[in-house]
Amino acid sequence: MCLSIPKRVVEWEGSGDNAGDFAWVERDGQRERINMMLIGPQPVGSWVLTSLGLAKEVVEDEQRQLIEDALAALAASLEGDFDPSQHFQDLNRSHD
């Protein structure tokens, strides 16, 4: 199983026939070159889900916030500090 992590597109690599195949993305100050061939060129500033050096899908902000919350819950549980009331707030909303 691979975990896909949201990262922000910060720069494009290449020109001519190779333009749009690779982009530089960042998360938490770490920069990585990824293959964009599955989803095509995306504007700088876009968030994409990445796994093993490949962009798999574009992530909207609401979806990204849910993923970030899940990643924070995982990190907290690994550190022994998990508090269910601090995570997954979307599950605590009243459903009319």
Side-chain angles (χ1 to χ4, degrees):
M1 181 174 104
C2 294
L3 184 63
S4 296
I5 304 293
K7 297 180 182 179
R8 184 184 298 247
V9 176
V10 294
E11 183 181 342
W12 281 97
E13 181 177 291
S15 60
D17 291 340
N18 293 327
D21 289 350
F22 292 92
W24 288 93
V25 295
E26 286 185 358
R27 178 183 175 82
D28 298 331
Q30 294 184 330
R31 192 172 170 112
E32 178 184 4
R33 179 180 180 256
I34 61 168
N35 185 312
M36 298 290 286
M37 292 176 71
L38 283 179
I39 62 173
Q42 302 299 318
V44 169
S46 298
W47 285 87
V48 295
L49 280 182
T50 67
S51 180
L52 302 172
L54 180 68
K56 297 168 63 175
E57 69 180 271
V58 178
V59 181
E60 299 299 326
D61 197 50
E62 185 175 318
Q63 182 184 14
R64 185 180 65 83
Q65 291 300 327
L66 294 173
I67 294 167
E68 297 290 355
D69 189 35
L71 291 171
L74 175 61
S77 68
L78 291 172
E79 294 169 2
D81 295 329
F82 180 72
D83 177 358
S85 67
Q86 299 299 311
H87 301 283
F88 306 111
Q89 294 299 314
D90 60 310
L91 299 178
N92 295 326
R93 289 186 288 195
S94 62
H95 300 282
D96 299 321

